[in-house]
């Protein structure tokens, strides 16, 4: 079975990591020092580029570990960094000799610095504190050096605290309460650092090792692996609620329709879960607990019970009560593919457009499990049955997914043919092509694929393949993310997690890798992600792109008869670009996007607290409205997006061109 991981991640080829020394050993609960070097070797045995531990890789591992310990460069000073580099010197020899003392020594130093900054924050936020809305500072850890000493670290922290206070004040909170919340945040940071387990330290080191190889290799702890599997199969067993962590509280963000929480009628969005208990036994206070630990307590096998203590704000009062729920299988329908039909009118004739919202290439490898390819096939059949005149396939927020599904979904739109080739660690081995073998052309009509800078991996395979076959018009951001590397997820025996390792590159039928370059849009739209720092080429240790000979299949084309589809002509694409440019130039929503991009570029990484005060409250209201909206309301807002509307307009122009008619401006009727 082959699959991709969700997000900007890439091919996943499921298998198992053959580590006999782990599989046959009597293990304690969790990772142990003696297995670090074995798991390192598991990465190196499979990685496309690295096979040996060398000085360059060792330096990268330490750099990634430092980035993990203090990603914002708030806690550690230059002297601390140098000390950690000494402690972690010859780190590969240390792991080989089963000496993991460097992890404990480093963690002890980090805890001291986290405590130092928390103490300073309390002192700074004392009775003499004055909020300064004119504060400005640069928040870009990659461009900012480590502070020279504690004094410089504290000076930066003052500005950062002003920013944190500003965030709370922007929600209409009083200054005294904002100060208390910021202090609590630093106290929680100390508590969480103190509670770091040995398993956390081992997992953190192994993930740093993986990320030193390339941006998409990583170590999956047991919890991370469980979340990955949930996202791939779009189901879990629990209460059916999306949770977040806010100021130490576990907050209910959304209820999954049909889930136990929604069906009970007792839980509402914005409720706070302050204690959790199983069917029997005492309730456990979960205030200030890490969100992943709270989620672990709430999830459980279908049919078992979980008890929750809820704190609800009602006007100025607070209401506290207990709820008992029976866990159920929860299907994450909001992340599944769906279709909406929109009626338009051109020259007095109605045209029905199908808009397919496709957020991820999910796939459940278990027998009878759900797959995005099967769902997409049903949606396309629905479009045919309802006599749609054209389709928009929206991949603009799709970061990847299942390999098998990507190949099958591309193949819905042509006869049979090659979709993707994968290279390997062995450069001498010929690339193997993965092809669609189903001769049915499920959709032969006009097709537009909507993309953005965050469309990645499987999305780039589908959009790039359809572009290479001249089957679909690609509309959206200037290019997609540019992630063209292949990963395998290999579970570690005894439920110790998994390694995700880059094992090769993938190529689309024209012979190009999507690595760095992505897939260029035929019709470019302004988009919120079209900034200079979004894309594969900006990531640490990104692999270079490659090119191979084209492997386009003549069998994909159907010139006449059932399933016949029309190849895109260069003059059509020019007309579509010209017409779109005219519409975009007059569109107020696109103008706003361009203005925001220009402001962001001029501002750089500088944060102005005054702008936080001005913008945050409105943004929070919009975010809250999105989270609590019904599915129908979310879909209504989705269809209002300027890129969706422009994709519809491009599709209507394409329909007219394929019908050989002169282009006229359509009138909108209604959405169904």
């Amino acid at each position: 079975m082959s699959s991709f991981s969700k997000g900007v991640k890439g091919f996943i080829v499921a298998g198992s990591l053959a580590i006999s020394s782990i599989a046959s050993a009597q293990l304690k609960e969790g990772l142990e020092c003696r297995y670090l070097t074995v798991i390192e070797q598991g990465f190196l045995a499979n990685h496309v580029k690295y096979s040996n531990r060398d000085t360059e890789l060792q330096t990268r591992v330490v750099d990634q570990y430092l980035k993990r310990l203090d990603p914002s460069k708030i806690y550690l000073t230059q002297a601390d960094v140098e000390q950690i580099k000494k402690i972690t010197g010859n780190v590969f020899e240390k792991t080989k000799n089963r000496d993991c003392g460097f992890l404990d020594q480093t963690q002890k130093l980090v805890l001291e610095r986290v405590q130092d900054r928390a103490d300073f924050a309390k002192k700074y936020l004392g009775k003499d504190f004055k909020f300064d809305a004119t504060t400005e500072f640069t928040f870009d850890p990659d461009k900012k050096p480590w502070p020279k000493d504690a004094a410089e670290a504290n000076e930066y922290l003052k500005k950062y605290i002003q920013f944190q206070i500003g965030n709370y004040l922007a929600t209409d909170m009083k200054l005294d309460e904002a100060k208390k919340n910021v202090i609590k945040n630093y106290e929680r940071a100390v508590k969480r650092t103190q509670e770091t387990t040995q398993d956390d330290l081992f997992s953190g080191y192994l993930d740093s090792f993986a990320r030193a190889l390339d941006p998409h290799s990583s170590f999956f702890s047991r919890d991370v692996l469980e979340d990955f599997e949930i996202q791939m199969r779009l189901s879990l067993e629990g209460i059916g609620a999306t949770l977040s962590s806010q100021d130490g509280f576990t907050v209910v963000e959304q209820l999954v329709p049909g889930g136990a929480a929604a069906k009970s009628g007792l839980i509402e969005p914005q409720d706070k879960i302050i204690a959790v208990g199983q069917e029997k036994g005492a309730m456990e206070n979960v205030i200030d607990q890490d969100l992943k630990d709270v989620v672990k307590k709430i999830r459980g096998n279908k049919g078992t019970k979980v008890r929750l203590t809820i704190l609800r704000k009602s006007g100025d009062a607070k209401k506290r009560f207990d709820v008992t729920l029976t866990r159920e299988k929860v299907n994450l329908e909001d992340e599944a593919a769906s279709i909406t039909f929109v009626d338009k009118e051109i020259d007095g004739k109605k045209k029905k457009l199908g808009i397919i919202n496709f957020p991820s290439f999910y796939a459940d490898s278990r027998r009878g499990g759900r797959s995005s390819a099967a769902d997409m096939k049903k949606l396309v059949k629905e479009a045919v049955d309802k006599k749609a005149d054209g389709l928009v396939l929206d991949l603009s927020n799709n970061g990847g997914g299942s390999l098998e599904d990507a190949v099958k979904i591309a193949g819905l739109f042509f006869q049979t043919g090659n979709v993707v080739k994968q290279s390997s660690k062995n450069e001498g081995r010929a690339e193997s092509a993965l092809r669609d073998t189903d001769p049915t052309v499920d959709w032969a009509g006009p097709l537009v694929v909507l993309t953005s800078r965050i469309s990645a991996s499987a999305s780039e395979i589908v959009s790039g393949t359809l572009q290479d076959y001249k089957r679909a018009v690609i509309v959206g951001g200037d290019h997609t993310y540019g992630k063209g590397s292949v990963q395998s997820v290999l579970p570690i025996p005894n439920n110790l997690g998994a390694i995700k390792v880059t094992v090769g590159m993938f190529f689309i039928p024209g012979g190009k890798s999507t690595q760095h370059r992505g897939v260029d849009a035929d019709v470019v739209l302004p988009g919120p992600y079209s900034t200079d720092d979004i894309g594969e080429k900006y990531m640490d240790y990104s692999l270079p792109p490659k090119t191979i000979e084209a492997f386009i299949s003549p069998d994909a084309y159907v010139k006449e008869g059932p399933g016949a589809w029309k190849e895109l002509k260069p003059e059509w694409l020019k007309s579509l670009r010209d017409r779109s440019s005219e519409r975009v130039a007059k569109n107020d929503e696109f103008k706003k996007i361009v203005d925001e991009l220009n402001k962001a570029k001029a501002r750089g990484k500088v944060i102005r607290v005054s702008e936080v005060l001005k913008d945050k409250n409105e943004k929070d209201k919009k975010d809250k409205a999105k989270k609590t909206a019904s599915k129908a309301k979310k879909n209504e807002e989705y269809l209002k997006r300027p890129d969706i509307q422009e994709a519809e307009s491009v599709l209507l122009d394409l329909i007219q061109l394929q019908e050989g008619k002169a282009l006229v401006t359509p009138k909108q009727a209604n959405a169904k």
Side-chain angles (χ1 to χ4, degrees), residues 573-583:
L573 293 176
K574 183 179 184 308
S575 294
L576 296 174
R577 272 193 291 270
D578 292 345
R579 293 262 294 180
S580 179
S581 294
E582 290 176 13
R583 287 189 297 264

Side-chain angles (χ1 to χ4, degrees), residues 362-500:
Y362 48 89
D364 186 348
S365 60
R366 298 172 301 181
R367 183 183 294 274
R370 184 174 191 174
S371 82
S372 52
D375 285 355
M376 275 288 297
K377 194 174 182 74
K378 290 174 188 173
L379 296 179
V380 170
K381 184 179 184 304
E382 185 180 347
V384 172
D385 291 345
K386 291 191 174 180
K387 296 183 169 46
D389 296 286
L391 285 181
V392 172
L393 175 58
D394 179 15
L395 301 177
S396 61
N397 286 301
N398 190 321
S402 160
L403 165 59
E404 290 182 4
D405 290 69
V407 173
K408 289 175 181 176
I409 287 167
L412 295 174
F413 305 104
F414 54 78
Q415 190 165 257
T416 60
N418 295 327
V419 175
V420 64
K421 275 191 177 183
Q422 175 185 328
S423 71
S424 69
K425 188 181 184 78
N426 181 358
E427 290 288 347
R429 195 183 79 180
E431 298 90 359
S432 55
L434 298 172
R435 56 187 282 117
D436 172 60
T437 57
D438 181 354
T440 304
V441 180
D442 293 77
W443 178 259
L447 178 65
V448 163
V449 177
L450 182 62
T451 60
S452 76
R453 280 277 192 103
I454 61 171
S455 302
S457 197
S459 289
E460 295 176 287
I461 288 173
V462 170
S463 56
T465 296
L466 295 176
Q467 186 179 61
D468 283 351
Y469 282 108
K470 299 178 182 176
R471 176 65 186 91
V473 180
I474 312 302
V475 176
D478 50 354
H479 58 78
T480 56
Y481 190 83
K483 189 215 164 294
S485 58
V486 184
Q487 283 75 41
S488 293
V489 167
L490 307 172
I492 301 172
N494 295 309
N495 193 29
L496 293 179
I499 69 170
K500 177 162 74 76

Side-chain angles (χ1 to χ4, degrees), residues 600-617:
K601 191 170 184 179
R603 183 168 60 238
K605 299 295 181 178
V606 175
I607 290 178
R608 295 179 176 87
V609 175
S610 57
E611 292 180 1
V612 172
L613 289 170
K614 184 171 62 177
D615 298 339
K616 187 176 188 302
N617 206 7

Side-chain angles (χ1 to χ4, degrees), residues 558-610:
V558 184
K559 302 291 185 184
E560 56 188 27
W565 54 271
K566 296 182 179 179
E567 283 183 66
L568 297 174
K569 300 177 182 178
E571 59 269 28
W572 288 358
L573 293 176
K574 183 179 184 308
S575 294
L576 296 174
R577 272 193 291 270
D578 292 345
R579 293 262 294 180
S580 179
S581 294
E582 290 176 13
R583 287 189 297 264
V584 167
K586 298 172 185 175
N587 187 295
D588 288 339
E589 292 302 312
F590 281 121
K591 286 177 185 176
K592 286 178 189 175
I593 291 171
V594 172
D595 287 344
E596 287 300 317
L597 288 173
N598 290 335
K599 284 179 188 175
K601 191 170 184 179
R603 183 168 60 238
K605 299 295 181 178
V606 175
I607 290 178
R608 295 179 176 87
V609 175
S610 57

